[in-house]
Amino acid sequence: MRAVAARVTRASVTVGGEVVGEIGPGLLVLLGVHRDDTADAVGVMARKLHELRILDGERSCAEAGAPLLVISQFTLYGDTRKGRRPSWSAAAGGAQAEPLVDAVVAALRERGATVATGVFGADMAVESVNDGPFTVLVEA
């Protein structure tokens, strides 16, 4: 499981012209699932994201009570080493990825996090105002 976490002053996701998720200062998380990922990665990823110390003053969402906007993104496993067209063969298919993404969101909420989401598999427009900018890659 792989995530790109960006510290933001605000972020939102729109589907079909309607805002379906938005946050103020916190983390925008683009979350990808690898074809070999299992439920074992869920708790690890949720803990890492919730406790990632990249907010102001080197605080985490857990410490600051900051929200997360989690959006599924299979393209994080795109392979561009050959040719000009990415290969998506490492990314999990929707039937495998969707429950794992949902499980990470549920695990974050169980930890007390405020979590907004996109819509799995939808054509989403994501807007963010990066803070810093400060963006890191998180793997579980």
Side-chain angles (χ1 to χ4, degrees), residues 32-132:
V33 179
H34 189 274
R35 67 174 180 241
D36 295 334
D37 282 339
T38 65
D40 294 340
V42 168
V44 174
M45 181 58 78
R47 179 186 54 77
K48 285 184 173 188
L49 292 171
H50 198 220
E51 296 178 7
L52 187 63
R53 300 173 62 95
I54 65 170
L55 298 180
D56 249 359
E58 293 186 11
R59 296 187 318 155
S60 66
C61 287
E63 293 168 316
L68 300 95
L69 174 57
V70 178
I71 299 171
S72 62
Q73 180 129 15
F74 77 93
T75 60
L76 292 179
Y77 281 104
D79 185 350
T80 59
R81 290 178 288 183
K82 294 182 183 177
R84 297 175 293 141
R85 182 175 300 159
S87 167
W88 311 114
S89 62
Q96 176 190 358
E98 185 173 14
L100 292 175
V101 170
D102 290 345
V104 170
V105 169
L108 283 164
R109 288 178 175 150
E110 285 172 14
R111 294 177 61 85
T114 300
V115 184
T117 65
V119 177
F120 189 91
D123 185 14
M124 295 179 273
V126 180
E127 292 186 65
S128 69
V129 177
N130 288 8
D131 183 9

